[in-house]
Amino acid sequence: MLKSYPDIYHDETFSDMNQSVVLRLRKWIFALAPWIVVYALMVSLAYLAPVSGSDWVYHFKPRNMVFIPWTEILSIILPDLPFLTGLTLTALAYCLWSRKATAWQMAAAFCALPLFWCIWLGQVDAVPMLGLALLPWGIPLALIKPQATVWYLWVWWRRRKDRWVIALGTLAFLGLSLVIWGWWPIERREFPLTFFSSYNLSVWRIHWAFGIIFVIAALLENDPERAMALGILASPYVQGNSFLILLPLFTRLKGWPLFAVWVASWLGALALIFGDNARLLAMFFPLSLWLALFLMDRKQRKLAVLQEEPLPSPEPGAMKG
């Protein structure tokens, strides 16, 4: 017998569905509420410590020379630079918290040069960093800085069982972006003013052979985070502020490796003493991070093998303890 609309509304299945939606909504509210408070505190702190934010003031806010068009949405929803600074600090805090960072790892990330570099320039690297933490739905956010994130996405995508669904969804989003913003990959292909300067930390600037080696090594990596640490230098153009995306990887380090990588994150500051050519020393940060991750992963694999190996049987006639 067919049920009337009121009968369907009061049906137990429909009622359970309503309760499920309410519970999910309540869960989201309780999950987001603390971070809204954190964001408000970070924005207030940003107003107390103003920075120049030249990239935000001259490029992002007036929507001038922004290659990825949906980045412009940030200039609409963020009324002023402190709101971007607050977003950067909150996004880093969330990424570290979601990865169960220790107090030392938190301190190292919040005291690393890439964070100050990003905040001082008024850059938006925190948004793609957050996108990586919210995959697969965060892919549009991660693609705001493809030169830094595509290496991670490549390895992560290869591991997924639903990779073709993700690929179709990404293509659909890119197709929608063409409908909204036109043929932006062609129309916005101009080089940044700093492409051929010391601000560009790509290994391609040193020699084309280094570029090829780093691209191949990054593509062959089976760890998405190690691939990103190598690949970020293999991109044709990358600045030190984009190294912010690597800071959540501190949660995989501890002890002396964590301290050594943190020190390496500050090598780019030597440009203030020795001039712009010393800015290339900032390359040692992602390199040291990749090396530290590689060595720690190898150590963990060796320990796992030793734990799986059975203890040797005592020889005949050996003394029993």
Side-chain angles (χ1 to χ4, degrees):
M1 179 178 178
L2 294 176
K3 295 181 180 181
S4 63
Y5 178 78
D7 291 333
I8 296 175
Y9 184 80
H10 293 291
D11 186 86
E12 291 183 2
T13 303
F14 194 85
S15 178
D16 291 342
M17 189 184 300
N18 283 339
Q19 290 178 5
S20 177
V21 172
V22 171
L23 288 174
R24 288 185 181 182
L25 182 60
R26 187 180 300 172
K27 183 179 178 180
W28 274 100
I29 291 174
F30 278 108
L32 289 175
W35 292 106
I36 294 174
V37 174
V38 171
Y39 178 60
L41 292 173
M42 294 299 184
V43 171
S44 300
L45 180 63
Y47 272 107
L48 296 175
V51 295
S52 66
S54 57
D55 284 355
W56 173 261
V57 173
Y58 296 109
H59 299 300
F60 291 110
K61 190 60 178 176
R63 307 176 201 176
N64 177 32
M65 288 186 65
V66 178
F67 180 70
I68 305 299
W70 53 94
T71 310
E72 298 175 356
I73 298 174
L74 293 174
S75 65
I76 298 173
I77 64 176
L78 299 178
D80 206 351
L81 178 61
F83 286 84
L84 175 64
T85 304
L87 178 61
T88 300
L89 296 170
T90 305
L92 180 58
Y94 172 79
C95 291
L96 294 169
W97 171 82
S98 64
R99 295 167 65 99
K100 298 179 173 59
T102 65
W104 284 111
Q105 291 165 343
M106 280 269 191
F110 273 95
C111 294
L113 177 59
L115 175 61
F116 299 104
W117 203 331
C118 185
I119 290 176
W120 182 258
L121 288 177
Q123 271 285 344
V124 297
D125 299 274
V127 178
M129 177 181 67
L130 190 61
L132 293 180
L134 300 175
L135 292 176
W137 300 105
I139 288 177
L141 301 181
L143 290 179
I144 285 177
K145 286 295 180 79
Q147 69 268 37
T149 58
V150 69
W151 314 96
Y152 182 104
L153 293 172
W154 166 246
V155 181
W156 169 83
W157 178 78
R158 284 180 4 223
R159 292 179 170 185
R160 300 279 298 194
K161 293 182 179 180
D162 58 346
R163 54 183 174 272
W164 296 115
V165 176
I166 293 173
L168 289 174
T170 303
L171 288 175
F173 172 79
L174 293 176
L176 179 62
S177 74
L178 295 177
V179 173
I180 298 174
W181 289 286
W183 294 97
W184 59 267
I186 299 175
E187 296 171 356
R188 306 188 183 205
R189 67 183 185 274
E190 66 271 10
F191 288 118
L193 296 176
T194 53
F195 189 88
F196 298 102
S197 72
S198 59
Y199 287 92
N200 187 1
L201 300 177
S202 170
V203 293
W204 289 93
R205 288 191 59 248
I206 299 176
H207 197 278
W208 61 266
F210 286 108
I212 294 176
I213 292 171
F214 271 68
V215 167
I216 294 174
L219 292 177
L220 293 179
E221 261 288 359
N222 56 8
D223 182 296
E225 294 175 344
R226 292 205 310 259
M228 184 167 59
L230 280 179
I232 201 168
L233 293 176
S235 298
Y237 178 75
V238 64
Q239 287 200 53
N241 51 274
S242 290
F243 293 167
L244 173 80
I245 298 174
L246 301 175
L247 295 186
L249 276 59
F250 279 10
T251 56
R252 292 177 59 178
L253 304 176
K254 58 183 179 180
W256 283 105
L258 175 62
F259 178 74
V261 172
W262 175 80
V263 171
S265 77
W266 278 93
L267 291 179
L270 292 176
L272 299 173
I273 302 174
F274 300 105
D276 281 347
N277 289 332
R279 196 183 304 275
L280 294 177
L281 293 173
M283 292 181 176
F284 283 100
F285 169 52
L287 283 174
S288 64
L289 179 58
W290 174 85
L291 181 61
L293 292 175
F294 175 79
L295 293 177
M296 292 199 73
D297 288 347
R298 189 175 69 170
K299 181 180 178 181
Q300 290 175 358
R301 286 195 298 268
K302 287 184 177 180
L303 290 175
V305 170
L306 291 174
Q307 290 174 356
E308 292 177 359
E309 289 181 356
L311 294 175
S313 302
E315 296 180 2
M319 185 180 294
K320 297 181 179 180

